[in-house]
Amino acid sequence: MTATHIVFERVGKSYDSVKGPTKALTGVNFEICEGEVFGIIGRSGAGKSTLLRTINALELPTEGRVTVHGTDPATLPEDALVQLRRKIGMIFQHFNLLSSKTVWDNVALPLRVAGASASDMRERVGKLLNLVGLADKAHAYPAQLSGGQKQRVGIARALVHSPEILLCDEATSALDPETTQSILGLLRDINRQLGLTVVLITHDMAVIRAICDRVLVLDQGEMQEIGEVWSVFGAPQSQASQAMLRSLKQGLPHEVVQQLQPTADTAHSHALIGLRFHDLPAGQGLPLAALQALEVLCRGTELIHGGLDHLQGHSVGQLIIRIPAANLTDAETMRQTAGADTLEILGYVQSH
């Protein structure tokens, strides 16, 4: 993933409303490489769909520009734009299938519109239905399909023109968790087999974790951070990233949260310490010797909560420990003893 495929140059987008111009995007500036799976995540209203649709000129920036292999879609005449859009497939949250047409006809429709021959349609549609695992459903109608099967039809249809880019607009939001994983696995397989650049938008960090190489966090139309998934997950820098990552992390025990105070009330209070590990050696865990060393340094250390995750060849995670406040030594010494990248005093609780 070295060649640049899509470039956003200070992209801004405004819409007119009765209250005046409304900003959907402001100064968005980044690049997507050929062949990567790139995720754009944000809450509802963050500007994700608007940003995605600037790639194929379904939305035109009011500031800056977007280029695909050096070409700005917004500057193209209609015929050239049609040709470019055929190289940019798109799948949607609600499938957008024609209920009156069979699976085969839904997939073949873009080829029919483009004037492809019957033999070309038979060959192309057959290959794509095999690719998405629906060869036996060619003559079924959408009403006879599950949600996951409908989305597979949508994916096959998006691939009929052998695109170089596949845009995914909340493609798994309407699916159950098990079906979501199967669709994400299919998208990753397509990315590897066909070398497509995949750009997906979602509000779900679990989707980003499962499939993406890099991720952009968008909030209120502005970039919050961008980076490899393991790095953003291991050490989120923005408040938006931290808020969305909370859904992936088991919280502190409820009874602990209720007792948590910003200062130590008594000499017998305990401090809650958060230790974050941003990049442990690939495939390795946290040596128990680190916790034993903490116990030597601060008598009465207890492990309250935590875990490690392995992403893209990196180990990241967090441990939360409880230490008698009276035994709390220099925080930097504790961090180094544990081998953690950062240490944070989360608060204090009463001893039992």
Side-chain angles (χ1 to χ4, degrees):
M1 297 188 300
T2 55
T4 300
H5 202 167
I6 306 165
V7 179
F8 297 82
E9 300 178 31
R10 307 298 299 172
V11 172
K13 176 68 177 179
S14 298
Y15 295 99
D16 291 329
S17 69
V18 293
K19 296 181 179 180
T22 299
K23 278 277 191 181
L25 298 170
T26 304
V28 177
N29 202 58
F30 69 100
E31 299 178 353
I32 297 175
C33 298
E34 277 189 3
E36 76 172 317
V37 181
F38 190 92
I40 301 169
I41 190 166
R43 303 178 182 92
S44 297
K48 306 184 299 296
S49 291
T50 300
L51 184 60
L52 188 78
R53 290 165 183 261
T54 62
I55 297 174
N56 57 3
L58 292 178
E59 296 279 2
L60 299 180
T62 48
E63 302 170 22
R65 67 173 188 157
V66 180
T67 58
V68 180
H69 271 321
T71 299
D72 182 351
T75 66
L76 295 177
E78 187 63 29
D79 288 349
L81 181 57
V82 168
Q83 293 303 314
L84 178 68
R85 283 175 173 164
R86 287 176 180 167
K87 293 299 180 183
I88 306 174
M90 192 166 188
I91 58 176
F92 306 90
Q93 177 180 358
H94 296 298
F95 322 128
N96 291 0
L97 303 181
L98 297 177
S99 60
S100 62
K101 293 188 177 293
T102 65
V103 165
W104 197 97
D105 286 327
N106 267 283
V107 176
L109 184 60
L111 292 173
R112 197 183 302 279
V113 171
S117 67
S119 60
D120 285 345
M121 282 193 288
R122 281 195 301 271
E123 179 182 3
R124 186 67 183 151
V125 174
K127 286 182 177 178
L128 288 171
L129 290 180
N130 277 319
L131 178 66
V132 301
L134 289 179
D136 62 335
K137 298 292 183 181
H139 302 297
Y141 287 86
Q144 298 171 299
L145 304 178
S146 68
Q149 289 170 332
K150 291 176 184 177
Q151 193 56 283
R152 287 172 182 267
V153 177
I155 292 170
R157 182 183 56 192
L159 298 176
V160 291
H161 288 302
S162 301
E164 299 172 356
I165 299 169
L166 182 61
L167 307 181
C168 306
D169 188 353
E170 296 277 10
T172 60
S173 293
L175 305 176
D176 62 75
E178 183 177 355
T179 306
T180 291
Q181 289 305 310
S182 71
I183 293 298
L184 294 178
L186 175 61
L187 290 174
R188 175 54 89 178
D189 287 344
I190 289 170
N191 165 255
R192 289 169 177 164
Q193 292 180 39
L194 305 181
L196 293 180
T197 300
V198 179
V199 186
L200 65 87
I201 63 172
T202 182
H203 60 270
D204 187 352
M205 274 288 195
V207 170
I208 299 295
R209 182 193 186 283
I211 189 175
C212 294
D213 300 305
R214 291 193 300 143
V215 60
L216 164 70
V217 181
L218 198 66
D219 192 49
Q220 297 183 344
E222 297 184 3
M223 290 179 60
Q224 301 301 307
E225 63 181 295
I226 184 172
E228 292 179 274
V229 170
W230 73 266
S231 179
V232 173
F233 272 51
Q237 300 300 305
S238 68
Q239 289 185 351
S241 301
Q242 292 165 7
M244 285 184 287
L245 276 167
R246 287 190 194 110
S247 64
L248 296 181
K249 300 180 185 298
Q250 180 184 351
L252 285 168
H254 180 66
E255 60 273 16
V256 174
V257 173
Q258 286 185 315
Q259 298 175 28
L260 204 58
Q261 301 292 328
T263 58
D265 289 341
T266 71
H268 300 293
S269 294
H270 282 67
L272 248 59
I273 308 294
L275 300 166
R276 295 196 65 88
F277 303 87
H278 303 166
D279 190 12
L280 292 167
Q284 296 186 26
L286 175 67
L288 291 178
L291 294 180
Q292 293 169 342
L294 277 176
E295 169 65 18
V296 172
L297 182 68
C298 298
R299 294 291 180 183
T301 297
E302 298 177 345
L303 178 61
I304 298 299
H305 163 72
L308 298 177
D309 205 356
H310 304 284
L311 294 168
Q312 300 175 324
H314 300 264
S315 297
V316 298
Q318 175 178 257
L319 297 179
I320 297 176
I321 59 176
R322 181 166 57 196
I323 294 173
N327 295 349
L328 186 61
T329 62
D330 177 66
E332 177 61 18
T333 301
M334 291 180 61
R335 184 193 68 78
Q336 293 178 4
T337 300
D341 293 283
T342 60
L343 179 148
E344 179 185 5
I345 299 177
L346 303 175
Y348 297 86
V349 295
Q350 292 295 325
S351 58
H352 298 290

